[in-house]
Short mmCIF file of all heavy atoms in Angstrom, two decimals:
data_model
loop_
_atom_site.label_atom_id
_atom_site.label_comp_id
_atom_site.label_asym_id
_atom_site.label_seq_id
_atom_site.Cartn_x
_atom_site.Cartn_y
_atom_site.Cartn_z
N GLN A 1 13.57 -4.80 22.49
CA GLN A 1 13.08 -4.53 23.85
C GLN A 1 11.97 -5.51 24.21
O GLN A 1 11.32 -5.36 25.33
CB GLN A 1 12.62 -3.04 23.98
CG GLN A 1 13.69 -2.07 23.77
CD GLN A 1 13.20 -0.61 23.79
OE1 GLN A 1 12.17 -0.40 24.54
NE2 GLN A 1 13.77 0.20 23.01
N GLN A 2 11.74 -6.42 23.27
CA GLN A 2 10.73 -7.49 23.57
C GLN A 2 9.36 -6.89 23.84
O GLN A 2 8.64 -7.31 24.85
CB GLN A 2 11.18 -8.47 24.57
CG GLN A 2 12.50 -9.29 24.19
CD GLN A 2 12.93 -10.17 25.32
OE1 GLN A 2 12.55 -10.13 26.47
NE2 GLN A 2 13.63 -11.19 24.90
N LEU A 3 8.95 -5.94 23.12
CA LEU A 3 7.70 -5.16 23.34
C LEU A 3 6.68 -5.56 22.19
O LEU A 3 5.66 -4.83 22.10
CB LEU A 3 7.94 -3.65 23.21
CG LEU A 3 8.81 -3.05 24.31
CD1 LEU A 3 9.13 -1.59 24.06
CD2 LEU A 3 8.13 -3.27 25.76
N GLY A 4 6.88 -6.73 21.65
CA GLY A 4 5.96 -7.09 20.54
C GLY A 4 4.51 -7.33 21.03
O GLY A 4 3.62 -7.29 20.28
N ALA A 5 4.40 -7.67 22.37
CA ALA A 5 3.02 -7.88 22.92
C ALA A 5 2.34 -6.55 23.35
O ALA A 5 1.14 -6.60 23.70
CB ALA A 5 3.14 -8.87 24.17
N VAL A 6 3.14 -5.46 23.40
CA VAL A 6 2.60 -4.22 23.91
C VAL A 6 2.45 -3.20 22.74
O VAL A 6 1.40 -2.48 22.73
CB VAL A 6 3.49 -3.63 24.98
CG1 VAL A 6 3.04 -2.32 25.49
CG2 VAL A 6 3.65 -4.64 26.13
N LYS A 7 3.46 -3.14 21.83
CA LYS A 7 3.46 -2.12 20.83
C LYS A 7 3.05 -2.63 19.56
O LYS A 7 3.79 -3.62 19.01
CB LYS A 7 4.86 -1.57 20.76
CG LYS A 7 5.38 -0.81 22.05
CD LYS A 7 4.56 0.45 22.38
CE LYS A 7 5.15 1.20 23.58
NZ LYS A 7 4.37 2.43 23.90
N PRO A 8 2.00 -2.16 18.87
CA PRO A 8 1.69 -2.71 17.57
C PRO A 8 2.73 -2.06 16.49
O PRO A 8 3.09 -1.00 16.51
CB PRO A 8 0.24 -2.05 17.44
CG PRO A 8 0.20 -0.89 18.14
CD PRO A 8 0.98 -1.11 19.39
N LYS A 9 2.99 -2.97 15.59
CA LYS A 9 3.67 -2.48 14.48
C LYS A 9 2.74 -2.06 13.35
O LYS A 9 1.56 -2.18 13.49
CB LYS A 9 4.64 -3.69 13.88
CG LYS A 9 5.67 -4.11 14.94
CD LYS A 9 6.53 -5.13 14.25
CE LYS A 9 7.72 -5.63 15.27
NZ LYS A 9 8.58 -6.63 14.67
N LEU A 10 3.27 -1.48 12.22
CA LEU A 10 2.52 -0.90 11.17
C LEU A 10 1.48 -2.04 10.61
O LEU A 10 0.26 -1.65 10.37
CB LEU A 10 3.31 -0.40 10.01
CG LEU A 10 2.58 0.47 8.98
CD1 LEU A 10 1.98 1.64 9.63
CD2 LEU A 10 3.45 0.64 7.82
N THR A 11 1.94 -3.23 10.38
CA THR A 11 1.08 -4.23 9.82
C THR A 11 0.02 -4.57 10.85
O THR A 11 -1.23 -4.75 10.43
CB THR A 11 1.89 -5.54 9.60
OG1 THR A 11 2.86 -5.29 8.63
CG2 THR A 11 1.03 -6.61 8.92
N ASP A 12 0.20 -4.49 12.12
CA ASP A 12 -0.81 -4.72 13.14
C ASP A 12 -1.97 -3.62 12.93
O ASP A 12 -3.15 -3.95 13.05
CB ASP A 12 -0.32 -4.71 14.54
CG ASP A 12 0.73 -5.83 14.85
OD1 ASP A 12 0.48 -6.97 14.30
OD2 ASP A 12 1.74 -5.57 15.41
N MET A 13 -1.52 -2.46 12.84
CA MET A 13 -2.56 -1.38 12.70
C MET A 13 -3.23 -1.42 11.46
O MET A 13 -4.55 -1.19 11.45
CB MET A 13 -1.73 -0.08 12.78
CG MET A 13 -1.31 0.25 14.31
SD MET A 13 -0.58 1.89 14.49
CE MET A 13 1.08 1.79 13.88
N VAL A 14 -2.61 -1.73 10.40
CA VAL A 14 -3.35 -1.78 9.08
C VAL A 14 -4.39 -2.98 9.15
O VAL A 14 -5.59 -2.83 8.65
CB VAL A 14 -2.43 -2.03 7.83
CG1 VAL A 14 -3.10 -2.36 6.56
CG2 VAL A 14 -1.55 -0.70 7.68
N ASP A 15 -3.98 -4.08 9.67
CA ASP A 15 -4.89 -5.20 9.80
C ASP A 15 -6.16 -4.82 10.63
O ASP A 15 -7.21 -5.12 10.32
CB ASP A 15 -4.15 -6.26 10.58
CG ASP A 15 -5.01 -7.62 10.58
OD1 ASP A 15 -5.72 -7.97 9.68
OD2 ASP A 15 -4.89 -8.29 11.65
N ALA A 16 -5.94 -4.21 11.84
CA ALA A 16 -7.01 -3.78 12.60
C ALA A 16 -7.87 -2.71 11.87
O ALA A 16 -9.21 -2.81 12.01
CB ALA A 16 -6.56 -3.10 13.93
N ALA A 17 -7.33 -1.74 11.18
CA ALA A 17 -8.03 -0.74 10.52
C ALA A 17 -8.89 -1.36 9.41
O ALA A 17 -10.08 -0.93 9.23
CB ALA A 17 -7.09 0.29 9.88
N LEU A 18 -8.38 -2.27 8.63
CA LEU A 18 -9.16 -2.90 7.54
C LEU A 18 -10.30 -3.72 8.09
O LEU A 18 -11.41 -3.78 7.56
CB LEU A 18 -8.30 -3.76 6.65
CG LEU A 18 -7.43 -2.90 5.74
CD1 LEU A 18 -6.36 -3.79 5.00
CD2 LEU A 18 -8.14 -2.18 4.75
N LYS A 19 -10.12 -4.34 9.29
CA LYS A 19 -11.24 -5.08 9.82
C LYS A 19 -12.38 -4.19 10.30
O LYS A 19 -13.57 -4.47 10.14
CB LYS A 19 -10.72 -5.94 11.09
CG LYS A 19 -9.90 -7.11 10.73
CD LYS A 19 -9.28 -7.69 12.06
CE LYS A 19 -8.39 -8.91 11.64
NZ LYS A 19 -7.77 -9.59 12.75
N MET A 20 -12.03 -2.93 10.77
CA MET A 20 -13.00 -1.97 11.10
C MET A 20 -13.72 -1.54 9.79
O MET A 20 -14.93 -1.36 9.93
CB MET A 20 -12.38 -0.88 11.84
CG MET A 20 -11.98 -1.12 13.31
SD MET A 20 -13.57 -1.03 14.38
CE MET A 20 -14.02 0.69 14.11
N LEU A 21 -13.01 -1.17 8.83
CA LEU A 21 -13.55 -0.41 7.63
C LEU A 21 -14.23 -1.42 6.74
O LEU A 21 -15.11 -0.90 5.97
CB LEU A 21 -12.40 0.28 6.95
CG LEU A 21 -11.67 1.37 7.79
CD1 LEU A 21 -10.55 1.95 6.93
CD2 LEU A 21 -12.70 2.52 8.11
N THR A 22 -13.94 -2.65 6.71
CA THR A 22 -14.62 -3.56 5.79
C THR A 22 -15.73 -4.36 6.37
O THR A 22 -16.34 -5.18 5.65
CB THR A 22 -13.56 -4.56 5.27
OG1 THR A 22 -13.09 -5.33 6.30
CG2 THR A 22 -12.33 -3.85 4.55
N LYS A 23 -16.13 -4.05 7.55
CA LYS A 23 -17.22 -4.87 8.13
C LYS A 23 -18.58 -4.68 7.49
O LYS A 23 -19.42 -5.50 7.43
CB LYS A 23 -17.32 -4.66 9.63
CG LYS A 23 -17.71 -3.22 10.07
CD LYS A 23 -17.65 -3.03 11.58
CE LYS A 23 -18.10 -1.61 11.97
NZ LYS A 23 -18.08 -1.47 13.41
N ASP A 24 -18.86 -3.36 6.95
CA ASP A 24 -20.00 -3.12 6.17
C ASP A 24 -19.66 -3.35 4.74
O ASP A 24 -19.13 -2.51 4.00
CB ASP A 24 -20.34 -1.70 6.48
CG ASP A 24 -21.69 -1.28 5.81
OD1 ASP A 24 -22.12 -2.08 5.00
OD2 ASP A 24 -22.30 -0.33 6.27
#
């Protein structure tokens, strides 16, 4: 459906989560 710019995949979410959790 060519929604790659709208819907995050699991790897996108894990990447964002780790950036949040590892900043401290």
Side-chain angles (χ1 to χ4, degrees):
Q1 299 176 33
Q2 298 182 337
L3 293 173
V6 179
K7 300 291 185 181
K9 295 184 178 181
L10 188 66
T11 301
D12 299 318
M13 290 189 277
V14 170
D15 184 37
L18 287 174
K19 287 175 181 175
M20 280 285 297
L21 296 174
T22 59
K23 62 182 180 179
D24 186 344

